[in-house]
Amino acid sequence: MGLIWADCIAGDWIPTKATSMFARKKREAARLASLMVPSASSSVIGKPMLISILGLVAIVTLGTNTHLFAPPLLALLFTAAVAAVLVSLRSQVSSDPDSGFHETRALCVSEDDSADAGVVGEALFVAAPMPMLVVDCEFQEIVAANPAASELYACPARELIGECMTNLLSTANEGMKSTSSDPVSGLARHRRADGSTLWVELNVRRMQFGGRTVWMIVVTDVTARIQLVQELEASERSCRELTELSLGIVFPHALGGKLLMVNPAFARSLGHPVDALVGQTLSEFIVPRQHDAFAEYLLNICRHGRDSGAVHMLRQDGSELVWEFRNLLRTGADGSREVLCCAIDISERSRNERRAIESSRKDPLTGCYNRRHLAEFQADSQPGANWACVVIDIDHLKRYNDTHGHRAGDQAIVRVARFLERIVRKQDSVVRLGSDEFVILLSECDRASLESFAARLQGAQATHETIPFSFGMALRKKDEDLEQTIHRADRQMIERRVIERSSIRLDAPRDYRRTNEPPSPVVRIHAELESLGAPRMRAAAGDTEG
């Protein structure tokens, strides 16, 4: 390899058309030998300089060791010795009539330094770990190649010499061969001696070398890097296609909720085009009542790195959907963070679950709520909420069943239930407590509203809109449980029934049994009723029928 580099320095390569891929021209030994002869001019000032320096060293040593000279005198002698050296040099140079001092120095520097630089450059070229090629600019032929290049192309260096640079290109990129005479820095696909291909990155630099203009080309094997990039691109393409084909909802978003990407399933579910969704804030598509929950969701993502749950989404037509979601906080290589989120539409499942829950809370005969609704009503009510309860008991249902049969009795119960559902408000609930007993739960009700509702009940009884029944009512006291309010309404219903039936028996008990006419309802319970004793109430209730 050293001979190859010497030939390059000589600059005497003559490109020839090689019959094989890698061919080279023989070296010119005479030219190489003449370049390696050292210059004789390097000793022009060597002898005078050596004599002067030796004399100076002797004077300094003698004066220091023997103390014959005082320090000032020693300094004077040292200065005189330096001056003598300079005068000697000047005399030597001036005695040469063929050349001046500056010409001699320039000659020494140029020839000696060139020889040293050639040796150093050759060593660096050979030892360089990066593959390097030297290409003649005129003929575009390789004039030097280091061992790293030989190993890269799986070919001895002597066979690389003389090969045209364009012949290294692989047949897979023949179209990339440029018509320009200058090689271009960048990516290229080369072929080795065994026919295999590799991706290389070329770094081309034009320079003067050995009396000719050459290109110094550093070759970097980037095959592994190109393969990694291609595999990464293929993986990203597969992921993108899979996301677009997925029936599930995929929507990565930023930590602030900004949508970075949505798949077609997301757009179809909400009824918006994909382009109109990207860049929007996710909260714009969440029902307003869950905006506070969405802010808490973003905090949970930052704290724990993941979250899951259900969210109510708004379609473009204003309808609501229920999504079950899962997500994960991902940190990119550049430190950026985004939330990978996927979801499925569980609206139909939610409706079925809600219907199942409603069915479990409904009475199968009447369709009204059953006792399970009482606990949920209590749990859903805000602290300090005002509600009222109206307890209703069908009069003489047992006698009605005995006379007309249980099927007719069931029809009578259903008739009362339909009547109560017609007169209550939308936010109120009708609950069947037992066989012939109902309770109406009046939400957000005050005393005036309660008395107005009682008046409607009494008016319906007067018009025989339904079969006869008795009722009692109670307004919730402060911090009172629902069961306690219902209990007070039930006690009032019993008291009203006792008073009504007692007054009927006192006036015309026999006529009432014969005519079977309902008694006149009592609008308000008089204050004297509260003074009645409990024994009297129980005795009167025992004389009446349920």
Side-chain angles (χ1 to χ4, degrees):
M1 194 63 212
L3 295 178
I4 296 174
W5 185 252
D7 291 341
C8 297
I9 295 175
D12 196 33
W13 283 113
I14 301 176
T16 59
K17 184 64 178 178
T19 57
S20 60
M21 173 181 174
F22 302 103
R24 60 166 298 179
K25 185 180 178 293
K26 295 185 184 249
R27 299 185 298 274
E28 296 182 3
R31 178 67 173 171
L32 177 62
S34 65
L35 290 176
M36 301 303 293
V37 174
S39 176
S41 61
S42 60
S43 60
V44 173
I45 61 173
K47 293 179 180 179
M49 178 68 72
L50 179 61
I51 294 173
S52 301
I53 292 175
L54 290 176
L56 178 61
V57 171
I59 292 173
V60 173
T61 304
L62 181 63
T64 303
N65 295 333
T66 62
H67 301 284
L68 295 177
F69 306 104
L73 182 58
L74 184 62
L76 181 59
L77 292 175
F78 180 79
T79 304
V82 172
V85 171
L86 294 178
V87 170
S88 176
L89 290 176
R90 182 178 181 86
S91 299
Q92 181 68 26
V93 172
S94 62
S95 64
D96 189 358
D98 297 332
S99 61
F101 172 76
H102 297 289
E103 294 177 356
T104 304
R105 182 177 181 277
L107 179 61
C108 294
V109 171
S110 61
E111 292 187 359
D112 292 348
D113 290 353
S114 296
D116 293 341
V119 174
V120 173
E122 178 185 358
L124 291 177
F125 182 80
V126 172
M130 299 293 295
M132 300 175 66
L133 301 173
V134 179
V135 179
D136 183 82
C137 291
E138 182 179 359
F139 299 101
Q140 296 190 15
E141 290 185 354
I142 300 174
V143 296
N146 69 345
S150 177
E151 181 180 357
L152 177 65
Y153 290 103
C155 177
R158 61 180 179 274
E159 295 184 8
L160 279 173
I161 305 302
E163 181 67 26
C164 186
M165 190 65 187
T166 56
N167 291 337
L168 294 179
L169 291 176
S170 170
T171 56
N173 58 353
E174 285 291 338
M176 296 175 59
K177 293 184 179 180
S178 174
T179 58
S180 174
S181 59
D182 296 338
V184 180
S185 298
L187 291 176
R189 195 168 186 179
H190 284 187
R191 60 188 176 92
R192 296 187 178 92
D194 58 3
S196 61
T197 61
L198 70 158
W199 282 99
V200 296
E201 184 178 4
L202 304 179
N203 188 357
V204 182
R205 182 178 179 182
R206 192 183 186 96
M207 59 185 298
Q208 293 295 324
F209 180 73
R212 68 174 71 179
T213 303
V214 297
W215 287 305
M216 176 66 72
I217 303 178
V218 178
V219 185
T220 305
D221 185 2
V222 294
T223 305
R225 188 174 68 186
I226 294 295
Q227 290 177 350
L228 287 176
V229 171
Q230 292 175 346
E231 291 174 1
L232 179 60
E233 291 176 350
S235 176
E236 291 180 348
R237 184 165 55 254
S238 298
C239 181
R240 184 168 55 252
E241 293 174 352
L242 181 63
T243 301
E244 293 177 355
L245 292 175
S246 174
L247 298 178
I249 300 168
V250 181
F251 53 104
H253 65 80
L255 287 179
K258 181 180 179 180
L259 291 171
L260 304 177
M261 188 273 289
V262 298
N263 68 335
F266 185 104
R268 287 193 302 267
S269 182
L270 297 185
H272 294 275
V274 173
D275 297 338
L277 293 171
V278 177
Q280 301 296 322
T281 305
L282 186 58
S283 60
E284 298 178 11
F285 308 99
I286 297 177
V287 294
R289 66 178 181 274
Q290 286 193 333
H291 283 178
D292 293 340
F294 178 71
E296 185 66 23
Y297 152 81
L298 295 178
L299 290 177
N300 288 336
I301 286 293
C302 295
R303 292 171 183 168
H304 310 296
R306 62 178 64 236
D307 197 12
S308 61
V311 60
H312 290 255
M313 306 294 292
L314 278 176
R315 284 180 52 86
Q316 188 177 22
D317 57 7
S319 58
E320 289 190 15
L321 298 175
V322 183
W323 287 0
E324 182 179 358
F325 67 88
R326 292 180 182 177
N327 55 34
L328 178 68
L329 181 62
R330 187 182 72 90
T331 302
D334 57 351
S336 61
R337 298 195 297 174
E338 64 179 11
V339 182
L340 303 180
C341 194
C342 62
I344 57 174
D345 189 348
I346 60 170
S347 302
E348 185 64 27
R349 189 181 77 186
S350 179
R351 284 191 291 268
N352 293 336
E353 291 176 353
R354 190 164 51 250
R355 282 194 290 265
I357 294 174
E358 289 290 329
S359 298
S360 67
R361 294 165 50 193
K362 292 294 184 70
D363 175 60
L365 176 62
T366 63
C368 299
Y369 289 108
N370 55 24
R371 285 184 173 272
R372 293 181 180 176
H373 181 70
L374 300 180
E376 296 185 7
F377 180 85
Q378 174 84 47
D380 294 341
S381 299
Q382 298 294 330
N386 295 324
W387 68 63
C389 299
V390 179
V391 175
I392 295 175
D393 192 271
I394 301 175
D395 292 335
H396 311 294
L397 181 61
K398 183 177 182 302
R399 183 189 303 173
Y400 193 88
N401 286 334
D402 294 341
T403 304
H404 303 284
H406 288 279
R407 184 175 182 181
D410 291 343
Q411 293 176 351
I413 294 174
V414 173
R415 182 181 175 187
V416 172
R418 297 289 86 81
F419 162 73
L420 296 178
E421 289 176 344
R422 286 197 303 270
I423 64 173
V424 298
R425 300 170 301 179
K426 184 178 181 180
Q427 66 268 29
D428 300 333
S429 306
V430 179
V431 181
R432 185 185 179 192
L433 297 178
S435 175
D436 57 352
E437 190 174 14
F438 294 84
V439 61
I440 300 175
L441 305 178
L442 303 175
S443 303
E444 299 298 328
C445 181
D446 53 14
R447 182 164 294 278
S449 300
L450 180 60
E451 292 181 354
S452 175
F453 183 78
R456 289 203 303 273
L457 284 178
Q458 291 175 344
Q461 285 181 325
T463 58
H464 303 286
E465 191 173 344
T466 182
I467 62 175
F469 59 84
S470 301
F471 69 91
M473 57 188 181
L475 190 65
R476 183 196 185 192
K477 296 181 180 180
K478 183 178 180 180
D479 299 332
E480 186 179 41
D481 291 338
L482 180 60
E483 289 291 342
Q484 295 174 344
T485 309
I486 294 176
H487 179 69
R488 290 194 296 110
D490 187 65
R491 285 184 56 189
Q492 191 191 83
M493 184 270 297
I494 295 175
E495 294 170 357
R496 291 172 65 96
R497 175 179 284 176
V498 168
I499 293 176
E500 292 172 358
R501 295 185 180 182
S502 297
S503 61
I504 291 173
R505 290 188 177 185
L506 290 175
D507 294 340
R510 294 182 180 178
D511 294 340
Y512 171 73
R513 290 182 181 274
R514 286 196 300 268
T515 60
N516 199 22
E517 294 181 359
S520 300
V522 178
V523 177
R524 298 290 300 273
I525 299 179
H526 299 287
E528 293 81 0
L529 180 62
E530 297 183 359
S531 62
L532 296 175
R536 179 180 175 184
M537 298 293 294
R538 288 194 296 269
D543 295 337
T544 61
E545 297 180 5

